[in-house]
Amino acid sequence: MANPAEKPDPNLSTPKIEPEDEREELEDMNGDEEEEEEYEEEDDGKPQTREDAIASRIQAESLFRRMRAAPVPVRVHDVIVKGNEKTKDHVIEAEVDVVRQATTLQELLKASKVANFNLQALDIFDSVSITLDSGPPELPGTTNVVIHVVESKSPITGQIGTFTKAEARSSSLEGSLKYKNIFGYGDIWDGSLAYGCDHSAEVGLGMYLPRFRGRPTPFTSRVYLSNQDWLKFSSYKERALGLSFGLIASKYHELVYTTAWRNLIDPSKMASSSIRRQLGHNLVSALKYTFKFDQRNSSLRPTRGYSFISTSQIGGLAPDSRVLRFLRQEVDLRYAVPLGFYRAALNFGVSGGITFPWGSGYKSRASYVPERFFLGGNLSPVCSLGGPSALWGFKTRGLGPSERRREVQDDESSDTHERDFVGGDVAVTAFADLSFDFPLKWFRDRGIHGHVFACAGNMAELSENKYRKLTAPKLLETFRSSIGAGIVVPTSLFRMELNYCHILKKQEHDRAKSGLFVTFSTS
């Protein structure tokens, strides 16, 4: 589950204010454009006279001319917080500290917009307004920043909806309930429940603190109980009781520690030998670091920009003999190039990952199945940023190393033999997607566009000394690939595609076929 109040990071490199935009910058600093009607009210509630209004307008025009000519020096004397009955002053002041660093009026206006954004991102205020007032008369060239907040009248919020999971065959029903600012520290407490049509379920309780003991980044924690059903693909169910802590969460960096008690079971009694060897209880104690840099103009239909994400994970940070010791690394690089006609753009990307056990005798040990890579799933690789996973035309967990399940005699005395997909220790995928607008205006107005695509991917096993049998020619020879074309209907929440996909190359036991598919993908 995502953090209960994931705080976005504003783009601090705000575009330079042009002279003709300075008046709008002053009026629109709080996000709402003020109308110039009749007369303004003074702080004491008395209406201004016409002469006072004219004098104020002349002073404003003079200030605008000075700002057009050169930077106007200014120093912030004080930050005054009003309207917070429950929220602590230091919580608000920490989010608006950027205004204290401004040395000119132009910088102060930009910093005020950033501060306003930061406060609204806390998700505990109904409205936020920031005004600039003159400083003490004995300190010319100073100003006071006055912050007025309106705390949420209803601290309890809830939502419910259906979502498509990246590794699930069907959608799930999810609901959450949040209680905001209980102790006045901007804290958000939430409970969540998710249930999938494939009988997967998860219950979680989480806490979010924007500032914890002076830390510059938010702190999160979550306790969860989950049940994942992989019987159709790999003959096991995964049950876990865990606790995670978000230690660092910024625009580019994220550090999370997770400890969980996991249990793999096989109710069907049909698991292959590789799966059977890993059934039972294990302890997970892992530290995960993510670096993400995304400069694309859209996550659902990027037409320019690039993105890069790297995820490093180390498991086994506990002395218990049952703790899982593994290393896992994933990288993903995307690039979007505009072509200059019909809003056409070429998206291409490559991603790869590797996982391996560590510790005494690691070369001969098998890697843990839930930590391996599984490819497939009719999702759009354009949206699934994070590592090797999706391939058009291949079913979820529908390719890669597999093993024969145990033979089962059914009621009609016919043998049923199926295979378990056991995943790979190394995986790589690549794709290219050419998107373009249709010539009809009705489609363009609604964002409906077409695309043609191609993708390829492969995986292999390395643990248990299998890396000795892996060669580059063999890896290239067994690559899977597909091409296709379709129509994309984007929305604010997901990307729906109607595609015809043709499988170019697959292996003997892969689950893939050519034909029409309707898919839903989220960023």
Side-chain angles (χ1 to χ4, degrees), residues 213-443:
R213 305 181 71 89
R215 291 167 49 87
T217 61
F219 174 81
T220 62
S221 65
R222 173 164 292 274
V223 58
Y224 62 90
L225 176 64
S226 66
N227 181 33
Q228 296 288 336
D229 187 345
W230 302 115
L231 289 175
K232 294 180 181 179
F233 315 106
S234 304
S235 291
Y236 73 89
K237 283 187 175 183
E238 178 185 348
R239 295 173 179 173
L241 174 63
L243 177 65
S244 66
F245 297 97
L247 305 178
I248 296 176
S250 63
K251 183 176 182 180
Y252 302 115
H253 307 278
E254 184 180 46
L255 184 64
V256 179
Y257 172 76
T258 301
T259 179
W261 188 257
R262 292 202 296 204
N263 183 24
L264 302 187
I265 62 174
D266 174 28
S268 66
K269 308 299 181 183
M270 295 172 54
S272 60
S273 59
S274 293
I275 299 297
R276 290 200 306 271
R277 287 199 300 266
Q278 300 201 13
L279 298 179
H281 294 274
N282 281 292
L283 176 64
V284 179
S285 177
L287 195 64
K288 181 179 180 181
Y289 168 72
T290 302
F291 172 78
K292 184 177 181 180
F293 187 79
D294 193 347
Q295 292 295 310
R296 298 175 300 171
N297 59 345
S298 172
S299 59
L300 292 178
R301 187 193 176 183
T303 56
R304 63 169 54 87
Y306 62 94
S307 64
F308 173 78
I309 183 170
S310 172
T311 303
S312 305
Q313 191 173 4
I314 177 172
L317 305 180
D320 194 294
S321 60
R322 290 168 294 181
V323 70
L324 297 174
R325 306 187 188 278
F326 65 92
L327 300 173
R328 181 183 171 104
Q329 176 65 47
E330 299 173 74
V331 293
D332 201 336
L333 177 64
R334 307 292 175 87
Y335 207 93
V337 181
L339 301 182
F341 59 91
Y342 285 108
R343 204 185 168 201
L346 176 63
N347 278 269
F348 57 90
V350 60
S351 59
I354 185 171
T355 183
F356 215 78
W358 66 274
S360 177
Y362 70 94
K363 291 184 179 180
S364 59
R365 291 209 316 265
S367 57
Y368 194 49
V369 170
E371 301 301 336
R372 294 179 183 174
F373 296 95
F374 291 89
L375 300 184
N378 250 323
L379 300 175
S380 173
V382 178
C383 302
S384 56
L385 179 65
S389 60
L391 283 177
W392 276 297
F394 290 84
K395 294 185 178 181
T396 301
R397 295 196 175 200
L399 69 149
S402 63
E403 291 186 9
R404 191 183 186 91
R405 292 179 180 175
R406 300 175 67 179
E407 298 182 7
V408 175
Q409 192 83 9
D410 61 19
D411 294 338
E412 298 179 359
S413 300
S414 63
D415 292 336
T416 300
H417 306 299
E418 295 187 11
R419 302 186 72 84
D420 284 339
F421 288 91
V422 298
D425 300 308
V426 60
V428 61
T429 60
F431 80 93
D433 180 275
L434 175 62
S435 62
F436 51 88
D437 277 346
F438 292 117
L440 296 179
K441 185 176 183 298
W442 188 89
F443 289 103

Side-chain angles (χ1 to χ4, degrees), residues 392 453 481-485 500-505 513-515 517:
W392 276 297
F453 54 84
S481 59
S482 64
I483 59 174
Y500 176 80
C501 186
H502 177 69
I503 304 298
L504 292 178
K505 189 176 182 180
K513 65 177 182 178
S514 301
F517 300 93

Side-chain angles (χ1 to χ4, degrees), residues 135-164:
E138 63 272 14
L139 297 175
T142 63
T143 183
N144 291 332
V145 179
V146 182
I147 302 171
H148 190 274
V149 297
V150 178
E151 295 177 331
S152 297
K153 296 180 180 179
S154 177
I156 301 178
T157 60
Q159 60 181 7
I160 188 171
T162 58
F163 302 90
T164 300

Side-chain angles (χ1 to χ4, degrees), residues 160-163 171-175 193-197:
I160 188 171
T162 58
F163 302 90
S171 59
S172 63
L173 178 66
E174 300 185 13
L193 174 65
Y195 182 79
C197 297

